[in-house]
Amino acid sequence: MRIKVQKWGNSLALRIPKAFAANAELRQGSVVDLSEKGKKITIRPVCESEPTLEHLLAGITRKNVHREVETRGPVGKEIW
């Protein structure tokens, strides 16, 4: 598909057709990785799903878990 490059402020812009955006799961506000090599420009969506608690807990092992830390008593106006 051919589309026209247009001026947007001091930059250039391309409009991504709806079908292309839907196929790449792009929405308004999506973050993409833009790279260039020679005369080729590549746009790739960046997956930014928030990790679940289960996913975070799955990363804890006996080697990376820290011990309990003693914090002593209050030193200011903390309410305990």
Side-chain angles (χ1 to χ4, degrees):
M1 171 183 285
R2 291 182 181 216
I3 56 177
K4 188 175 184 179
V5 176
Q6 298 179 335
K7 188 167 175 73
W8 187 6
N10 289 329
S11 301
L12 298 176
L14 298 172
R15 294 185 76 159
I16 301 172
K18 183 177 182 178
F20 283 39
N23 188 44
E25 298 180 359
L26 292 176
R27 293 170 189 71
Q28 182 175 341
S30 292
V31 178
V32 298
D33 180 52
L34 182 66
S35 60
E36 62 89 18
K37 186 173 184 179
K39 293 187 177 186
K40 292 186 178 186
I41 297 173
T42 305
I43 302 169
R44 290 191 179 109
V46 174
C47 182
E48 287 197 339
S49 60
E50 286 197 28
T52 63
L53 178 59
E54 290 78 21
H55 176 78
L56 295 172
L57 291 174
I60 298 175
T61 66
R62 289 182 183 260
K63 289 185 177 181
N64 68 10
V65 69
H66 60 80
R67 297 180 319 222
E68 196 173 315
V69 177
E70 177 60 47
T71 59
R72 301 188 187 165
V75 294
K77 296 183 179 181
E78 295 94 343
I79 299 173
W80 292 86

